[in-house]
């Protein structure tokens, strides 16, 4: 007989659940400024350590320190702060609009504002993002009109995607924002393909792929890493680790890997792990990875360590699976408050100006909302029409669809 | 007998199956601690432990592929794909592996797994939370495909599926999870808990696969349908006053050909109704079979009402959804033909 002890299934569990007290003191957070900055052409083998640390620029006192600091001017930092404030105000209003029944669904960014807004500023105007549903900051930081975003959320007559897509599933070729799919991870390999296309044609544009920690478990993620590695595609492979995939904690997707960034190593792709709540660190890492891609040195994996403060979507209630206090216990702080403190430290900002900027952001959003609602919401006004439903299935409507459209009465 | 929602009936079926047979394991995205985004597996992890009910990585291919391996080991996996729209990454494992394992190994390896997935529209889910992919499964030999329309059927059919020796695709019309649907979005959905059809027998029972149910008897015309559309058909019958016989197929494959043909031979008229897009949909198979078996009994060509041949839109979903008005119009036309 086999005298081994019986096997048992290992199922990872988060450290605490509702009712427990979250304690992040065991989470290792390196001091700001302590992580080295290699040249972009360093051998990937020589910088494997960067996938197991956290690149941070802003310290507790709000100072920008270390080799990843000093990239951005005061003006650029103020812009970044305004983008984050705008995104937060937009989220709050749209969340409310959903609760009021003006739209069917919404997904917010609360706590993750720095990532998409700072990344966008490291890209050029012709580069392309392949985002998921939590990167509206890419649009905001590129100056995309709030009104258009809202019309999309309201599925009204001015919705650029004509009422067909779920709210927040934006699309703007002009603003480097690839149309969002609800099927997780599919965009990741497409981003690699786009970058390969640019390389094939000898262009100078690069692409950026976006994915959540949970979605890295999908096949498409792994296909993307293989292709990016094989062809040294000019792409930045972003992973937003906000700790949760709906009710499932990040350990389920990560499994035995030390970090999500470390996934790059199996493919020979250099990987950085970054404080996602630090606007300066996100921007610096993004700029480094973008430069690598631009100089044809190939892909970089970047993991942003952050926390999803809000629910997964308006259909989710996070208090059912994690302690309510977890978001406040989260050790990397609030990205807006951290940048605000830094700017105040520089003497470029003040509490008064911040309060004023917050009010301005709310005002801007309110004005756009009035305009959007004057056009229509999902319930009222001029909505995307049923006639629209039959168009764009093909470039030219085939006879069977023409027939069906007539049958439907349009 | 208790009144329960379809969600509760599905929970109950899982519970009974797991209690009865310790080879039954349940897993999928968010199904463990949280009990699934629709709560169909709520309470199972607590009761049966983490190694019998657990959360998986977001990898549909992983979920189905692992289930096949467990089944080959001797377990009875019943897995959840969060929305039917997300089964495509798993499609190769379902089609090339699960469906063919018995055949290619001459019965040496088998694949008694159940793959549950919420299907269909009516919740403003747009194209990625609304699809009805049944034809993609009924076209694959080696799979069985089941679609319940009431809580009692959901329970009995799920228990039969779990006990079945072959892979079963179990499609749950999410629009029916909390109550029957009278076909129009302006009217409130009645809860199953107060509806006569919400009655679910207690204890373990199986509703055999491959047996349709005649939900309303009639002799003027036969409506062949399943899932959410059963309730749309009933609403249309009420609206028209036409004495139609409504048949809920319950299992699309194997199909209860006898019940179907007997009805069409009696009525001489047949309307096929489903929510999935029309072209090459499951309705085409039904129409072909009816035509073959009942040609000399038909008073009119078989009619089809289905979703339009477009992806499921968000804001226009009620124009897409085959509602009672569209069905009623076809019924009247069919009576005049
Ligand atoms: C292929 C696929 N499977 C499942 C889903 C359902 N789903 C939507 S979001 C989500 C969680 C994603 O988590 P993560 O990637 O961590 O991103 P986050 O929401 O945390 O930003 C799941 C399982 C889906 N949309 N697509």
């Amino acid at each position: 007989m086999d005298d081994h002890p019986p096997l048992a299934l290992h199922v990872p569990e988060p450290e605490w659940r509702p009712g427990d007290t979250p304690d992040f003191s065991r989470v290792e957070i390196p001091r700001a400024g302590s992580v080295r900055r290699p040249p972009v052409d360093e051998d990937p083998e020589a910088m494997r350590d960067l996938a197991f640390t956290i690149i941070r620029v802003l310290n507790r006192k709000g100072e920008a320190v270390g080799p990843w600091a000093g990239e951005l001017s005061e003006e650029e930092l103020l812009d970044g702060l305004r983008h984050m404030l705008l995104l937060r105000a937009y989220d709050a209003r749209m969340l409310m609009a959903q609760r009021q029944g003006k739209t069917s669904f919404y997904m917010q960014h609360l706590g993750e504002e720095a990532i998409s807004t700072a990344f966008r500023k490291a890209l050029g105007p012709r580069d392309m993002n392949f985002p998921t549903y939590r990167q509206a900051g890419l649009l905001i930081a590129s100056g995309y009109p709030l009104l258009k975003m809202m019309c999309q959320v309201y599925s009204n007559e001015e919705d650029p995607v004509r009422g067909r897509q779920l709210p927040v599933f934006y699309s703007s070729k002009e603003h480097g924002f690839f149309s969002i799919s609800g099927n997780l991870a599919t965009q990741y390999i497409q981003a690699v393909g786009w970058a390969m296309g640019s390389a094939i044609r000898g262009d100078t544009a690069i692409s950026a792929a976006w994915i959540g920690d949970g979605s890295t478990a999908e096949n498409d993620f792994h296909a993307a890493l293989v292709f990016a590695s094989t062809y040294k595609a000019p792409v930045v492979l972003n992973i937003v680790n906000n700790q949760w995939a709906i009710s499932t904690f990040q350990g389920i997707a990560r499994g035995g890997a030390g970090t999500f960034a470390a996934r790059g190593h199996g493919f020979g792709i250099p990987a950085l792990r970054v404080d996602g709540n630090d606007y300066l660190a996100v921007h610096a890492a993004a700029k480094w990875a973008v430069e690598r891609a631009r100089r044809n040195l190939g892909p970089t994996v970047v993991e942003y360590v952050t926390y999803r403060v809000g629910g997964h979507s308006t259909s989710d209630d996070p208090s059912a699976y994690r302690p309510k206090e977890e978001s406040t216990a989260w050790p990397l702080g609030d990205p807006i408050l951290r940048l605000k403190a830094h700017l105040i430290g520089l003497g470029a900002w003040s509490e008064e100006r911040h309060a004023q900027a917050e009010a301005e952001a709310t005002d801007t959003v309110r004005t756009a909302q009035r305009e959007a609602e004057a056009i229509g919401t999902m319930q009222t006004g001029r909505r995307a029409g049923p006639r629209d439903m039959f168009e764009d299935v093909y470039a030219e409507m085939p006879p069977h669809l023409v027939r069906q459209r007539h049958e439907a009465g349009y | 007998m208790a009144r329960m929602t379809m969600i509760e009936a599905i929970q109950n079926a899982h519970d009974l199956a797991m209690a009865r047979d310790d080879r039954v394991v349940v897993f999928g995205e968010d199904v463990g601690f949280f009990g699934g985004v629709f709560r169909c597996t709520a309470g199972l992890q607590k009761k049966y432990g983490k190694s019998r009910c657990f959360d998986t990585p977001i990898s549909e291919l992983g979920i189905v592929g692992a289930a096949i391996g467990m089944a080959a080991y001797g377990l009875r996996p019943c897995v959840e794909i969060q929305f039917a729209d997300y089964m495509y990454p798993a499609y190769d494992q379902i089609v090339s592996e699960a469906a063919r394992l018995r055949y290619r190994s001459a019965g040496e390896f088998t694949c008694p797994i159940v793959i549950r997935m919420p299907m269909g529209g009516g919740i403003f889910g747009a194209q990625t939370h609304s699809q009805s992919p049944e034809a993609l499964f009924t076209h694959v030999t080696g799979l069985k495909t089941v679609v319940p329309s009431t809580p009692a059927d959901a329970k009995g059919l799920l228990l039969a599926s779990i006990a079945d020796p072959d892979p079963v695709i179990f499609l749950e019309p999410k629009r029916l999870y909390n109550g029957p649907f009278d076909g129009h979005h302006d009217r409130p959905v009645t809860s199953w808990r107060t509806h006569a059809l919400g009655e679910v027998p207690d204890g373990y029972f199986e509703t055999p696969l491959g047996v349709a149910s005649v939900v309303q008897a009639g002799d003027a015309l036969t409506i062949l349908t399943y899932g959410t559309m059963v309730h749309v058909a009933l609403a249309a019958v009420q609206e028209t006053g036409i004495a139609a016989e409504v048949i809920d197929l319950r299992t699309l494959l194997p199909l209860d050909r006898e019940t179907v043909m007997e009805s069409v031979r009696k009525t001489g008229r047949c309307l096929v109704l489903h929510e999935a897009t029309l072209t090459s949909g499951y309705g085409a198979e039904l129409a072909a079979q009816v035509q073959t078996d009942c040609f000399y009994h038909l008073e009119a060509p078989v009619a089809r009402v289905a979703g339009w041949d477009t992806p499921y839109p968000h804001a226009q979903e009620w124009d897409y959804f085959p509602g009672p008005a569209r069905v009623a119009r076809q019924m009247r036309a069919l009576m005049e033909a």
Side-chain angles (χ1 to χ4, degrees), chain A residues 107 112 132-134 182-184 211-216 218 240 242 244-246 308 312, chain B residues 29-30 58 60 82-83 86 89 129:
Chain A
M107 301 179 96
E112 302 177 38
T132 78
Y133 44 70
R134 241 183 275 283
N183 295 51
L184 294 173
I211 201 164
D213 48 284
S215 309
T216 59
E218 291 283 8
V240 180
N242 66 8
W244 290 94
I246 312 189
R308 191 197 78 211
H312 168 72
Chain B
E29 294 157 24
D30 298 293
I58 303 173
E60 291 73 17
Q82 201 156 76
F83 284 85
Y86 303 135
H129 300 85

Side-chain angles (χ1 to χ4, degrees), chain B residues 28-336:
Chain B
E29 294 157 24
D30 298 293
V31 308
F33 182 84
F34 188 63
V37 291
F38 288 107
R39 321 296 293 139
C40 291
T41 58
L44 299 176
Q45 183 174 75
K46 208 163 192 181
K47 190 159 172 190
Y48 297 100
K50 276 197 310 186
S51 47
R52 290 191 63 201
C53 176
F54 52 89
D55 288 329
T56 63
I58 303 173
S59 171
E60 291 73 17
L61 170 138
I63 294 166
V64 174
I68 295 170
M70 285 181 213
Y73 172 78
L75 297 186
R76 295 277 177 151
C78 177
V79 303
E80 177 174 299
I81 300 294
Q82 201 156 76
F83 284 85
D85 313 62
Y86 303 135
M87 66 80 192
Y88 301 102
Y91 199 56
D92 183 44
Q93 286 288 340
I94 298 173
V95 173
S96 318
E97 306 303 318
R100 306 214 184 129
L101 193 53
R102 178 187 293 279
Y103 192 75
R104 78 182 191 207
S105 69
E108 193 176 18
F109 291 99
T110 62
C111 194
I113 66 175
V114 178
I115 308 174
R116 294 179 36 248
M117 23 185 138
M119 72 167 329
I123 62 156
F124 286 107
Q127 55 191 321
T128 55
H129 300 85
S130 308
Q131 291 164 43
S132 296
E134 62 273 23
L136 297 180
F137 299 113
T138 56
H139 190 59
V140 177
T141 46
L143 301 176
K144 295 180 179 175
T145 301
V146 178
V147 188
S149 72
T150 64
D153 277 356
K155 176 175 173 180
L157 291 167
L158 182 55
L159 286 168
S161 300
I162 294 173
D164 197 274
D166 286 309
V168 178
I169 305 294
F170 196 85
L171 295 164
E172 298 165 5
K174 65 178 91 69
R175 178 72 207 188
L176 301 181
Y177 270 153
N178 290 303
F181 173 53
D182 66 7
H184 204 279
H185 68 291
D186 285 347
R187 292 171 218 155
V189 174
T190 338
S191 167
W192 288 116
R193 292 185 147 283
T194 55
H195 193 279
L197 287 175
E199 288 216 338
V200 179
D202 300 326
Y204 187 93
F205 68 93
E206 291 179 17
T207 303
L209 306 188
V211 181
S213 103
V214 180
V215 294
Q216 171 149 335
D219 52 18
L221 112 93
T222 300
I223 301 181
L224 300 178
T225 189
Y226 48 93
T228 306
M229 289 298 129
V230 169
H231 304 277
V232 171
L234 292 173
V237 170
Q238 206 166 31
E239 188 174 320
T240 56
I242 296 170
E245 182 147 290
V246 179
I247 296 184
D248 177 358
L249 298 173
R250 303 201 288 196
T251 310
L252 307 190
L253 201 139
L255 174 69
D256 181 355
R257 200 154 162 151
E258 231 164 275
T259 302
V260 167
M261 302 313 162
E262 201 183 305
S263 174
V264 179
R265 281 191 203 114
K266 178 176 73 180
T267 62
R269 289 182 159 86
C270 179
L271 189 155
V272 174
L273 169 62
H274 61 59
E275 200 183 326
T277 47
L278 180 77
T279 303
S280 298
Y282 184 70
E285 176 62 32
L286 288 173
Q289 293 202 27
V290 166
Q291 191 270 150
T292 305
D293 279 22
C294 306
F295 184 72
Y296 294 106
H297 298 265
L298 286 174
E299 311 275 343
V302 178
R304 285 186 291 164
V305 178
W308 308 119
D309 287 334
T310 78
Y312 218 112
H314 175 247
Q316 307 93 335
E317 92 164 359
W318 294 100
D319 304 286
Y320 179 93
F321 207 81
R326 252 162 83 191
V327 179
R329 208 185 315 140
Q330 265 301 335
M331 288 173 72
R332 292 194 185 101
L334 199 51
M335 290 313 293
E336 274 156 31

Side-chain angles (χ1 to χ4, degrees), chain A residues 7 23 98 121 151 175 246 249 258 294 296 339 351:
Chain A
L7 299 165
D23 174 14
Q98 192 275 338
K121 299 313 275 182
C151 290
H175 285 253
I246 312 189
F249 89 115
R294 195 90 68 202
N296 212 29
L339 184 53
E351 289 293 347

